C-alpha cells in the first residue's frame, strides 16, 4: 500500500531530479515543477494540496485530483495516466517557457518532465509499438527473379497512411560502391515473364536504385562513415534491409484494402526538430519530423533538411507531396534507418 509520505517524498524527489536534469537551483525547480507541472501557486501549495486531498478520501482523493494523480505513475496500472500526461505535457512545458525564468528548448523541458516522472523511454522519445503491432511485408516488384529484394509495408501514423520501402542489403560492408554493385546484380528481372510485364516495372526498378542512394546520401552524407554514424540494418525474415518511409499518396492510401497497424506518435507542436526511435518487431527505425515555418506572406520557409526531404524522400512515385498536417500546423515527416550510435 502506498502511503501519503511516500507520495510526498516522491514529489520532492521529482523536483530534485528536474533541477539536476536542467542544471538549475533546486529552489527554482521546486517552483517551476509545482506551478507548471502540477498547476499550483508554489511548492508549499502542492504539499498542502497533497495532504488536503488525502484527508478528504485518503489515496483515492489524490488519485482523483486533476494533477496530483500523476504521482501514481509507476505505482499503479498507469496506462491511462501516462496517456493523459502525453496530452498535457506540451501545456506544462509551455507554462515553464512563459515564465522566462530559464532558457531551455521546449523539447528538453518535455524530456526532463518525463524523466522526472520516471518515464525513461518517453524522455528519450523512444516508442515501443508492442507485441500486437506487426508489419505485413510484401514484394514491391513482382518481376524480379527474387521478389524479396525490395519489400513494402503500410502503417498508420496518427490516422495517415505511411509506406515503408525495404531494400535488401546482406553484405557486411556498406558503401555506395558496394551498394551500387549489389543493386545492379541483384535487381534483375525474370526473363521468363512477358515483355510487356517486364517493361512496366523496368523503369520503376531503375528509379528505385537512384531513390535509395539519394536518400542514404541525404540522411548519412556523401561518404558512409564507419562507427557510430553507420546506418544499421533492419532484419526481416533473417535478412538485412535498409528502410525509408514516407506518407503515402492519398489515391494509393484509399486503395489499401487491409487493416493497418497503428503507430500513435505524440508529435509535439514545437518549432524544434524532433526525432523518435521506433521499436518494431525487435527492430528499430528513426522517425523524424520538423514543423514547417511560414513567412509573413504565409509562404513556407524550409530548412535545408526539409528541402532535401522534399527532393529525395518525397520524390518516390508512391509518396504524397503534401506536408503532414497536425494541430493546425504542417510538419515534414519521414522514416530512415537508425544509426549505430542511436541504437538503444
Amino acid at each position: 500500500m502506498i502511503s501519503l509520505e511516500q507520495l510526498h517524498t516522491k514529489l520532492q524527489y521529482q523536483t530534485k531530479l528536474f533541477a539536476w536534469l536542467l542544471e538549475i537551483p533546486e529552489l527554482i525547480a521546486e517552483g517551476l515543477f509545482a506551478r507548471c507541472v502540477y498547476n499550483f501557486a508554489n511548492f508549499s501549495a502542492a504539499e498542502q494540496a497533497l495532504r488536503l486531498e488525502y484527508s478528504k478520501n485518503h489515496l483515492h482523493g489524490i488519485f482523483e485530483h486533476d494533477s496530483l494523480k500523476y504521482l501514481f505513475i509507476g505505482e499503479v496500472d498507469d496506462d491511462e495516466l501516462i496517456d493523459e500526461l502525453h496530452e498535457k505535457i506540451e501545456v506544462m512545458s509551455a507554462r515553464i517557457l512563459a515564465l522566462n525564468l530559464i532558457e531551455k528548448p521546449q523539447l528538453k523541458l518535455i524530456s526532463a518532465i518525463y524523466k522526472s516522472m520516471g518515464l525513461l523511454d518517453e524522455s528519450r522519445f523512444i516508442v515501443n509499438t508492442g507485441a500486437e503491432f506487426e508489419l505485413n511485408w510484401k514484394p514491391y516488384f513482382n518481376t524480379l527473379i527474387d521478389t524479396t529484394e525490395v519489400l513494402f509495408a503500410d502503417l498508420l501514423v496518427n490516422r495517415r497512411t505511411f509506406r515503408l520501402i525495404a531494400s535488401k542489403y546482406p553484405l557486411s560492408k556498406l558503401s555506395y560502391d558496394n551498394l551500387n554493385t549489389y543493386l545492379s546484380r541483384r535487381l534483375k528481372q525474370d526473363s521468363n515473364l512477358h515483355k510487356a510485364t517486364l517493361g512496366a516495372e523496368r523503369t520503376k526498378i531503375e528509379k528505385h536504385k537512384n531513390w535509395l542512394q539519394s536518400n542514404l546520401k541525404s540522411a548519412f552524407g556523401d561518404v558512409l562513415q564507419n562507427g557510430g554514424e553507420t546506418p544499421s540494418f533492419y532484419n526481416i525474415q533473417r535478412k538485412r534491409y535498409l528502410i525509408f518511409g514516407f506518407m503515402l499518396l492519398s489515391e494509393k492510401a484509399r486503395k489499401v484494402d487491409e487493416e493497418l497497424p497503428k503507430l500513435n506518435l505524440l508529435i509535439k507542436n514545437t518549432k524544434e526538430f524532433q526525432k523518435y526511435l521506433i521499436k518494431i518487431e525487435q527492430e528499430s527505425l528513426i522517425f523524424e519530423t520538423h514543423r514547417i515555418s511560414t513567412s509573413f506572406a504565409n509562404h513556407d520557409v524550409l530548412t535545408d533538411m526539409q528541402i532535401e526531404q522534399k527532393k529525395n524522400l518525397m520524390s518516390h512515385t508512391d509518396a504524397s507531396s503534401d506536408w503532414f498536417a497536425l494541430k493546425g500546423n504542417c510538419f515534414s515527416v519521414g522514416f530512415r534507418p537508425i544509426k549505430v550510435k542511436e541504437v538503444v
Side-chain angles (χ1 to χ4, degrees):
M1 177 66 72
I2 308 164
S3 69
L4 173 63
E5 286 310 309
Q6 283 176 310
L7 292 179
H8 181 249
T9 300
K10 187 173 184 178
L11 178 63
Q12 292 176 317
Y13 173 77
Q14 287 177 344
T15 61
K16 291 179 184 296
L17 181 56
F18 191 67
W20 180 79
L21 291 168
L22 296 178
E23 299 178 303
I24 58 176
E26 286 187 15
L27 192 60
I28 292 177
E30 282 185 354
L32 289 175
F33 213 74
R35 185 170 176 179
C36 302
V37 175
Y38 285 107
N39 205 20
F40 291 102
N42 50 51
F43 190 72
S44 294
E47 292 177 307
Q48 290 170 12
L50 187 63
R51 292 188 171 87
L52 177 62
E53 294 302 322
Y54 185 81
S55 69
K56 289 180 182 178
N57 200 6
H58 299 284
L59 292 177
H60 187 71
I62 300 170
F63 191 79
E64 290 296 313
H65 191 273
D66 186 55
S67 58
L68 289 174
K69 61 187 176 185
Y70 297 127
L71 285 167
F72 285 92
I73 289 177
E75 310 294 342
V76 297
D77 185 2
D78 57 7
D79 287 348
E80 287 188 16
L81 287 174
I82 294 172
D83 286 343
E84 289 185 42
L85 179 64
H86 287 326
E87 296 297 325
K88 296 285 182 68
I89 200 161
E90 282 183 54
V91 174
M92 295 172 177
S93 60
R95 287 178 189 148
I96 296 173
L97 290 173
L99 293 177
N100 291 318
L101 291 176
I102 58 174
E103 293 184 4
K104 302 289 181 182
Q106 188 171 5
L107 285 181
K108 187 174 180 66
L109 295 175
I110 289 172
S111 177
I113 295 171
Y114 275 137
K115 196 164 188 177
S116 298
M117 294 282 189
L119 299 173
L120 183 58
D121 279 357
E122 284 83 351
S123 74
R124 299 163 74 181
F125 301 99
I126 297 173
V127 179
N128 288 289
T129 57
E132 295 181 0
F133 188 97
E134 187 173 353
L135 293 169
N136 182 19
W137 292 103
K138 305 173 187 176
Y140 190 78
F141 297 115
N142 295 313
T143 61
L144 294 177
I145 295 172
D146 181 358
T147 57
T148 67
E149 289 291 339
V150 183
L151 304 174
F152 79 96
D154 296 333
L155 69 156
L156 293 176
V157 178
N158 296 17
R159 298 190 297 277
R160 287 299 302 266
T161 307
F162 277 67
R163 175 157 291 175
L164 302 176
I165 304 290
S167 304
K168 189 189 293 183
Y169 187 81
L171 307 181
S172 58
K173 175 71 173 178
L174 178 58
S175 71
Y176 291 119
D177 287 340
N178 288 352
L179 180 67
N180 188 53
T181 300
Y182 176 82
L183 293 176
S184 297
R185 288 178 178 173
R186 297 296 298 178
L187 298 191
K188 296 290 187 182
Q189 292 179 288
D190 185 349
S191 58
N192 295 317
L193 297 174
H194 193 276
K195 285 186 178 180
T197 304
L198 295 172
E201 282 197 341
R202 187 174 295 118
T203 302
K204 291 182 181 179
I205 292 170
E206 290 303 314
K207 284 184 177 180
H208 171 75
K209 295 177 186 178
N210 295 329
W211 178 83
L212 174 61
Q213 295 195 66
S214 65
N215 278 287
L216 279 169
K217 289 181 179 180
S218 177
F220 300 99
D222 290 333
V223 177
L224 289 169
Q225 303 291 327
N226 293 319
E229 295 295 325
T230 305
S232 288
F233 298 106
Y234 189 108
N235 289 287
I236 304 172
Q237 296 179 353
R238 299 183 180 180
K239 301 295 183 182
R240 297 190 296 184
Y241 287 81
L242 294 164
I243 295 180
F244 287 93
F246 45 77
M247 193 164 65
L248 192 60
L249 198 64
S250 296
E251 302 90 89
K252 290 184 178 290
R254 284 192 288 268
K255 294 178 182 178
V256 175
D257 60 356
E258 62 179 309
E259 186 174 349
L260 299 178
K262 297 176 182 179
L263 177 61
N264 293 316
L265 268 182
L266 295 162
I267 299 169
K268 312 305 179 189
N269 192 16
T270 74
K271 63 182 179 181
E272 299 156 29
F273 171 77
Q274 300 172 60
K275 181 179 73 174
Y276 296 83
L277 195 162
I278 315 299
K279 291 189 173 182
I280 306 171
E281 301 168 341
Q282 298 182 323
E283 301 296 327
S284 298
L285 288 174
I286 294 293
F287 181 89
E288 294 177 329
T289 179
H290 199 179
R291 196 170 73 190
I292 305 295
S293 300
T294 55
S295 66
F296 288 112
N298 212 30
H299 296 305
D300 290 347
V301 180
L302 304 180
T303 65
D304 289 344
M305 180 178 287
Q306 288 165 342
I307 292 170
E308 283 285 300
Q309 194 173 69
K310 193 84 170 178
K311 175 184 173 184
N312 298 309
L313 186 68
M314 297 167 69
S315 70
H316 197 282
T317 54
D318 292 350
S320 172
S321 60
D322 298 328
W323 300 115
F324 186 77
L326 182 70
K327 300 178 181 178
N329 287 295
C330 291
F331 294 76
S332 61
V333 289
F335 290 90
R336 66 161 172 83
I338 188 172
K339 297 177 182 179
V340 169
K341 69 178 183 181
E342 294 169 323
V343 175
V344 177

